């Protein structure tokens, strides 16, 4: 699942906030630069002239409304015979018709002056040479760049860093546990060192080809996603030399002023979440500064008619759009619903409420909307504010929205009752409509599509076992035991999806249809890409129950990854978990270092030393109090 490592919650809360065009490919133009500039000036003057002439056109209406700046100005029609004493006439600044006419005349004079000024500027431009015009344009560009640099250097307000637990050292009592912990650290070293050699600065690594790798979620730029994403794991494991290498690269190379279209969701959880994690763990200001710089670049994505952000935004131009495949141009629930924790922390760290307001607006809008059967559909159109296709899932497209509702409540020291209510309402609807038992007795979470339950569960949905356990405390009607048991049932089902494969690694999704249970049917669903969700649920269940089977299951998964996914140049996903001779996909995902190994590590910690083991605290645990 996601890994936004933020504040520990035990006895701690964030202080209350004081709230008060797509770019086209370049082709050689038919007009010269100076000619286009002159045409632009002429067009501007023409528009200004038309706007000014508008005031002199006859009008039979009583009032005309104009938005000038932040004020609403009413320009009334004045009856020449009755004047301003007509009770139906409202004057701008009082009952005096003479004063009204003066104000109207001032407005007309201002428009005339602006029009004349535009014409004079056009005449002056026509007198200049092409070189002079180019020099002026370059001067303006340099001025804008300088202003941006000055803004970036503006110091952020000092904010006290909480005392963190779980990173102070200490060895497990059992030699067997120590060996397992060291093995997980060695796997992390293998993944990091090979990325350091073959993919440094690239977003991810191709461990077999031994070169950098990237996908469209990161755009066209090499932003070092693996470096940023893995920082907290390195620090927690005590790999401080590697952590400092990553910090140095970020200080010298991480630049968000690039012409690159990125996923708002992925960049938020991997970059802003990773940078905030590193800041809270280490106290190094550079991480906070970079997180704020990136957040400012994401804000234009919220410039939609509803305030629901676009899925993607160009970091340079601020132009946003949605995925072409997403239900008639819709935004995705798991994407716009997985911004809350990072943005709340950004407002806390900067004192600027804009981030908080953006995510709270999303929450308020969702609260007002009708939900079919109480379920949140995965698609919402940011232009119309209407749901797209009625498809609900706790796996892909929906998953982390529910996770963030629960953790917003935990992050607030359990004072965000609004978030808790939304979580409880959603889980009740999910349990009623999506959670079923198979013929073989396995509890699974299906997907609701246009009134029909699809009996398929994705690997991504396996995080929900841990979420149910984490949310048991504080549940309605004293149902803590029920939700802890439900979490355990989901963990068992997901373990079966692993155990029924040749590699003992789980497929991307698996069916519950007739005689087929917890098994992938389609070839396109049989792959494993180093995902963490099942191990995440094992950790939560072991943490809350101390049942040794969850630790055993987690260790079995780690050994399977080591045996079948390890290659000489790092770790790779596999294309078919049912084949005993797997083919690798040649991608080392950044979340393998940030999440999968980070969840493996605390399963190798003594239950009595959870808060002292340097392998202890996965990022999500920094959000939640211990049991």
């Amino acid at each position: 699942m996601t890994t936004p490592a933020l504040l520990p919650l035990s006895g701690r809360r964030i202080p209350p906030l004081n709230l008060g065009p797509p770019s086209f490919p370049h082709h050689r133009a038919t007009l010269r630069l100076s000619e286009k500039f002159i045409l632009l000036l002429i067009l501007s003057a023409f528009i200004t002239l038309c706007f000014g002439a508008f005031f002199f056109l006859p009008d039979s209406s009583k009032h005309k409304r104009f938005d000038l700046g932040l004020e609403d100005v009413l320009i009334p029609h004045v009856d020449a015979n009755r004047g301003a004493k007509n009770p139906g006439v409202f004057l701008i600044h009082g009952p005096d018709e003479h004063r009204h006419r003066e104000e109207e005349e001032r407005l007309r004079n201002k428009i005339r002056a602006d029009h004349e000024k535009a014409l004079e500027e056009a005449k002056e431009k026509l007198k200049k040479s092409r070189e002079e015009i180019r020099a002026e344009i370059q001067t303006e560009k340099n001025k804008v760049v300088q202003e941006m640099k000055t803004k970036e250097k503006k110091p952020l307000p000092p904010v006290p860093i909480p005392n963190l637990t779980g990173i102070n050292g200490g060895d497990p009592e059992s030699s067997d546990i120590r060996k397992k912990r060291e093995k997980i650290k060695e796997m992390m070293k293998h993944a990091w060192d090979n990325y350091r050699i073959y993919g440094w600065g690239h977003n991810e690594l191709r461990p077999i080809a031994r070169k950098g790798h990237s996908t469209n979620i990161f755009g066209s730029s090499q932003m070092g996603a693996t470096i940023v994403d893995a920082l907290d794991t390195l620090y927690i494991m005590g790999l401080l030399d590697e952590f400092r290498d990553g910090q140095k690269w970020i200080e010298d190379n991480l630049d968000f002023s690039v012409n690159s279209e990125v996923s708002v969701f992925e960049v938020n959880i991997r970059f802003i979440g990773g940078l905030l994690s590193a800041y809270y763990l280490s106290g190094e200001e550079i991480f906070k500064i970079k997180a704020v710089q990136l957040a400012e670049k994401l804000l234009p994505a919220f410039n939609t008619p509803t305030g629901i952000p676009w899925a993607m935004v160009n970091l340079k131009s601020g132009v946003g759009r949605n995925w072409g495949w997403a239900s008639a141009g819709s935004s995705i629930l798991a994407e716009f619903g997985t911004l809350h924790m990072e943005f709340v922390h950004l407002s806390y760290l900067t004192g600027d409420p804009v981030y908080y307001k953006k995510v709270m607006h999303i929450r308020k809008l969702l609260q007002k909307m009708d939900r079919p059967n109480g379920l949140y559909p995965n698609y919402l159109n940011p232009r119309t504010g209407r749901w797209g296709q009625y498809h609900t899932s706790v796996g892909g497209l929906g998953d982390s929205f529910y996770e963030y509702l629960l953790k917003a409540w935990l992050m607030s020291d359990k004072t965000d009752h609004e978030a808790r209510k939304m979580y409880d309402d959603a889980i009740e609807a999910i349990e009623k409509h999506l959670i079923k038992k198979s013929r073989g007795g396995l509890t699974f979470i299906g997907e609701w599509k246009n009134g029909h339950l699809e009996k398929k569960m994705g690997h991504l949905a396996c995080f929900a076992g841990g979420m149910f356990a984490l949310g048991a405390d504080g549940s309605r009607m004293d149902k803590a035991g029920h939700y802890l048991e439900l979490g355990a049932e989901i963990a068992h089902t997901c373990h079966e999806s692993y155990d029924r494969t040749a590699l003992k690694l789980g497929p991307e999704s698996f069916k519950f249809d007739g005689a087929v249970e917890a098994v992938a049917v389609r070839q396109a669903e049989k792959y494993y890409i180093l995902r963490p969700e099942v191990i995440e649920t094992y950790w939560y269940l072991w943490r809350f129950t101390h049942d040794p089977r969850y630790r055993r299951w987690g260790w079995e998964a780690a050994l399977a990854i080591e045996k079948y996914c390890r290659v000489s140049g790092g770790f790779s996903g596999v294309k078919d978990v049912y084949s005993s001779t797997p083919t690798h996909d040649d991608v080392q995902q950044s979340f393998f270092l940030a999440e999968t190994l980070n969840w493996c590590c605390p399963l190798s910690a003594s239950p009595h030393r959870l808060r002292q083991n340097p392998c202890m605290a996965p990022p999500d645990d920094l959000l939640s109090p211990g049991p």
Side-chain angles (χ1 to χ4, degrees), residues 525-549:
E525 297 172 341
K526 295 180 179 181
Y527 60 89
Y528 173 71
I529 57 172
L530 307 172
R531 287 200 186 277
E533 291 79 21
V534 173
I535 300 172
E536 173 184 354
T537 277
Y538 292 162
W539 184 82
Y540 274 115
L541 267 296
W542 177 68
R543 175 75 182 276
F544 285 105
T545 69
H546 291 168
D547 186 329
R549 64 178 167 172

Side-chain angles (χ1 to χ4, degrees), residues 1 34-35 146 201 358 410 431 623:
M1 216 41 251
S34 58
E35 292 172 333
Q146 191 59 40
K358 294 294 185 185
L410 290 169
E431 188 171 9
L623 294 167

Side-chain angles (χ1 to χ4, degrees), residues 264 268 295-313 318 320 335-336 339-340 343 354-362 382:
V264 174
N268 176 65
E296 289 177 348
K297 296 289 187 178
L298 298 185
L299 287 178
F302 292 83
N303 295 335
T304 66
T306 61
I308 297 295
W310 300 113
M312 293 175 287
V313 68
E335 297 192 342
F336 65 77
L339 304 169
H340 188 96
F343 274 49
V354 64
Y355 307 106
Y356 178 86
K357 288 180 177 179
K358 294 294 185 185
V359 292
M360 286 305 294
H361 175 80
I362 294 173

Side-chain angles (χ1 to χ4, degrees), residues 416-487:
D416 188 349
H417 303 298
E418 187 177 66
R420 180 73 210 208
K421 181 181 184 304
M422 291 178 70
Y423 171 79
D424 287 336
D425 289 346
I427 296 308
E428 286 179 3
I430 287 168
E431 188 171 9
K432 181 178 180 180
H433 296 286
L434 303 187
I435 297 180
K436 305 294 178 183
K437 273 193 182 293
S438 70
R439 292 179 181 177
L442 295 177
T443 301
F444 67 94
I445 309 174
E447 298 187 10
W448 191 265
K449 289 187 176 180
N450 296 317
H452 171 72
L453 181 68
E454 185 175 5
K455 296 179 180 180
K456 180 180 76 171
M457 185 172 176
H459 194 290
L460 287 166
C462 284
F463 92 98
M467 180 180 71
F468 292 143
L470 182 62
D473 183 31
S475 57
R476 291 173 178 167
M477 297 179 290
D478 195 26
K479 295 178 70 174
H482 166 73
Y483 283 112
L484 191 60
E485 179 60 28
L486 179 59

